[in-house]
Amino acid sequence: MEKEEGAKDSENLELKAEITRQRQLLDDYTSSAKQTQNLASLIPGDVKVSPVYSMLQNHILDCRNLKDNEIILITDMMKTYYPVFINQLMSLSKLSLQEQLICMLTKRNISNKDIASLTAKSESTISATRIRIYGKIMKTKGTAKDFNDLIHSL
């Protein structure tokens, strides 16, 4: 009887370990699927098959910052796929290349965390920059949400 209970306890421990392992795998798959879904929503249509999109996706996944020539590639891609947005943005205020990049990445719903990673800045710096850009464009104080609303309205 004692041997049977010991065998059952051992079997229960093995089952619990297997359930824990399966839960971890499910969590990993869910996280990966969410990242893929988020990345897929970043840039619409044909842009997703461009080398620039792949580069941006890889940089986000690898937490690598962008080099100057890569920022120029992204800017060119945005000009190609979102000419109205770029023209409206540039007509509102003269923005630096870094400010333009933050606007473009925000337009594509990239998080502050990912923008910070891509630009080698802190999240708080990105938030402050977004608020500063809003003030530069609108000539009034605003919040990061005001900035998002403005960028998404263009």
Side-chain angles (χ1 to χ4, degrees):
M1 180 105 153
E2 219 173 277
K3 287 182 183 178
E4 285 180 28
E5 285 181 26
K8 285 182 182 180
D9 287 343
S10 177
E11 186 178 328
N12 284 341
L13 287 175
E14 288 175 21
L15 288 171
K16 285 180 183 179
E18 179 62 19
I19 289 170
T20 301
R21 190 180 73 73
Q22 292 292 331
R23 281 187 180 152
Q24 183 59 48
L25 281 173
L26 181 59
D27 288 345
D28 291 346
Y29 288 138
T30 302
S31 175
S32 178
K34 283 180 182 177
Q35 281 183 334
T36 301
Q37 184 178 24
N38 287 341
L39 289 170
S41 70
L42 298 181
I43 301 175
D46 296 333
V47 182
K48 290 182 185 175
V49 296
S50 76
V52 176
Y53 173 76
S54 297
M55 179 225 14
L56 183 59
Q57 183 180 27
N58 289 334
H59 277 58
I60 290 172
L61 290 174
D62 297 341
C63 297
R64 288 184 287 144
N65 61 312
L66 295 166
K67 298 178 181 144
D68 288 343
N69 63 327
E70 294 168 327
I71 293 170
I72 293 168
L73 285 172
I74 291 169
T75 302
D76 289 344
M77 178 190 66
M78 290 294 287
K79 285 178 183 176
T80 300
Y81 287 93
Y82 300 100
V84 173
F85 167 72
I86 297 297
N87 290 336
Q88 287 179 333
L89 181 65
M90 299 315 291
S91 71
L92 294 171
S93 182
K94 182 171 173 54
L95 300 174
S96 71
L97 189 58
Q98 282 289 325
E99 290 170 333
Q100 290 175 43
L101 179 66
I102 290 171
C103 291
M104 288 182 256
L105 296 175
T106 299
K107 179 73 171 175
R108 296 310 325 136
N109 296 317
I110 296 177
S111 70
N112 271 3
K113 177 183 175 189
D114 289 337
I115 293 172
S117 174
L118 289 168
T119 59
K121 308 267 190 257
S122 70
E123 283 185 65
S124 61
T125 298
I126 297 302
S127 290
T129 301
R130 290 161 46 137
I131 292 168
R132 190 181 71 250
I133 295 169
Y134 181 83
K136 197 174 185 179
I137 292 172
M138 300 304 293
K139 311 289 189 242
T140 185
K141 290 183 179 182
T143 65
K145 182 185 180 328
D146 294 331
F147 172 80
N148 283 353
D149 292 345
L150 171 66
I151 295 301
H152 291 294
S153 74
L154 300 176

